[in-house]
Amino acid sequence: MSDAFCSDCKRETEVVFDHSAGDTVCSECGLVLESHSIDETSEWRTFANESNDNDPVRVGGPSNPLLTDGGLSTVIAKPNGSSGEFLSSSLGRWQNRGSNPDRGLILAFKTIATMSERLGLVATIKDRANEIYKRVEDQKSSRGRNQDALLAACIYIACRQEDIPRTVKEICSVANGASKKEIGRAKEYIVKQLGLEKGQTVEMGTIHAGDFMRRFCSNLGMNNQAVKAAQEAVKKSEEFDIRRSPISIAAAVIYIITQLSDDKKPLKDISIATGVAEGTIRNSYKDLYPHVSKIIPNWYAKEEDLKNLSSP
């Protein structure tokens, strides 16, 4: 608080400064003596990005510990037609000729960021993929391999390790033309290299059919009740020895749930939403059909409804 002359009180009174609104208010009558004033004091808010650094600096980008210089090097921008065009273009050419040990890593990290953004992945997965790629690159054994497949495989492994798996087909859709086979080979290569580095097998995390259920149901526009029933059904299906991939089981369960609802989904739509072939869904449905009375929740469908399901 400080003292200032209040025109209503006609005398010096204590005033209060509201920092959020920038107002100076009389503490006795409540009159706003000054509004929208600029606070010229130091700002001690920390703008550090995901780090334990308490330095209240609000300029420059976040540091990257995976790069040699922490990602804080200076880059000379391209000329924009100003008077210093000749000078900046010359400096830019000289900088490009210089040896930057992190140039390949920076390009790879940008590609990983683009792929992750297109898949809607969180920052932790992107950072894990960057770390995996850096460890592989440090071994200097990836030369000559398909770079896009290698980066896509890093994202696939990162998703598995963070327990937010994506199908290879989903990863393939953002891999700049890399095929499923190339991504699969790159994944095996990375797992082998990281295993040699650590001297032990790399933990990839176990895939469950339930990991994909909510996303697949969302792609089909299913209501909350159907989604809940599908999640319960796929969890119960794990009690039986159904030798199908988790993705195929998830697709088959969704097919059963939609057939028991008023909003029936064609097999073609389920195939597109899940990335599983129609024939594979039929075969998985055939394996699930004998257990359907024990898999489908009682609150969702009655026994007579289950009898109306088409026989595989």
Side-chain angles (χ1 to χ4, degrees):
M1 288 188 182
S2 59
D3 292 342
F5 182 80
C6 176
S7 57
D8 271 14
C9 300
K10 307 295 183 182
R11 59 187 175 84
E12 292 279 336
T13 60
E14 286 189 341
V15 294
V16 179
F17 184 73
D18 184 355
H19 292 271
S20 59
D23 296 339
T24 303
V25 184
C26 175
S27 62
E28 294 191 13
C29 67
L31 177 69
V32 178
L33 303 178
E34 186 179 358
S35 62
H36 304 295
S37 56
I38 299 173
D39 184 5
E40 297 180 354
T41 59
S42 301
E43 182 171 48
W44 295 107
R45 176 182 167 191
T46 300
F47 287 84
N49 183 22
E50 297 181 2
S51 69
N52 296 322
D53 187 8
N54 293 321
D55 183 18
V57 176
R58 60 181 306 171
V59 295
S63 61
N64 188 343
L66 299 178
L67 299 177
T68 304
D69 55 6
L72 302 177
S73 58
T74 302
V75 178
I76 299 172
K78 293 181 180 179
N80 56 2
S82 61
S83 57
E85 180 176 342
F86 174 77
L87 179 60
S88 60
S89 62
S90 301
L91 291 173
R93 280 198 300 269
W94 278 107
Q95 186 185 49
N96 290 333
R97 288 174 187 171
S99 58
N100 183 358
D102 292 332
R103 183 180 299 172
L105 279 177
I106 292 170
L107 292 175
F109 292 167
K110 284 182 179 178
T111 305
I112 287 175
T114 302
M115 291 181 180
S116 301
E117 186 178 349
R118 290 173 63 187
L119 286 169
L121 301 176
V122 295
T124 52
I125 294 178
K126 182 195 73 172
D127 294 340
R128 176 65 67 91
N130 288 344
E131 181 186 344
I132 292 170
Y133 179 79
K134 176 68 163 58
R135 287 165 58 188
V136 173
E137 185 67 17
D138 285 346
Q139 298 183 32
K140 307 294 182 184
S141 59
S142 60
R143 183 169 295 179
R145 294 186 174 271
N146 187 323
Q147 186 74 355
D148 289 320
L150 205 63
L151 298 175
C154 289
I155 294 175
Y156 176 81
I157 295 171
C159 289
R160 290 277 298 269
Q161 291 182 343
E162 292 291 330
D163 295 325
I164 312 176
R166 289 292 188 270
T167 65
V168 178
K169 195 166 186 178
E170 287 177 299
I171 301 291
C172 188
S173 66
V174 300
N176 301 325
S179 65
K180 290 172 64 176
K181 184 179 289 187
E182 289 173 325
I183 295 173
R185 287 174 180 168
K187 184 203 77 172
E188 296 298 327
Y189 165 76
I190 292 171
V191 170
K192 181 181 177 182
Q193 292 300 314
L194 296 183
L196 291 173
E197 178 193 32
K198 286 188 170 183
Q200 58 186 12
T201 56
V202 178
E203 290 294 332
M204 290 276 287
T206 306
I207 294 180
H208 300 280
D211 296 334
F212 306 96
M213 189 58 69
R214 182 168 289 277
R215 191 166 73 257
F216 289 167
C217 292
S218 176
N219 293 341
L220 286 163
M222 296 167 61
N223 59 48
N224 291 334
Q225 191 177 21
V227 173
K228 184 180 178 183
Q231 288 177 320
E232 289 186 22
V234 82
K235 191 172 183 180
K236 290 181 180 178
S237 69
E238 295 178 357
E239 300 173 4
F240 303 93
D241 185 21
I242 302 169
R243 299 184 179 182
R244 295 282 175 181
S245 71
I247 303 168
S248 302
I249 293 174
V253 168
I254 290 173
Y255 175 72
I256 295 171
I257 293 295
T258 56
Q259 295 310 301
L260 293 169
S261 69
D262 296 330
D263 185 20
K264 293 178 172 57
K265 304 290 183 183
L267 194 62
K268 183 179 179 181
D269 290 353
I270 297 174
S271 175
I272 294 172
T274 60
V276 182
E278 293 182 33
T280 305
I281 298 176
R282 288 195 191 95
N283 292 333
S284 300
Y285 172 65
K286 185 178 180 180
D287 293 342
L288 285 171
Y289 186 78
H291 312 288
V292 77
S293 60
K294 298 177 182 178
I295 290 174
I296 304 300
N298 296 329
W299 59 265
Y300 186 76
K302 298 179 181 178
E303 191 172 343
E304 52 266 26
D305 296 328
L306 298 178
K307 291 179 180 178
N308 292 332
L309 283 171
S310 58
S311 179

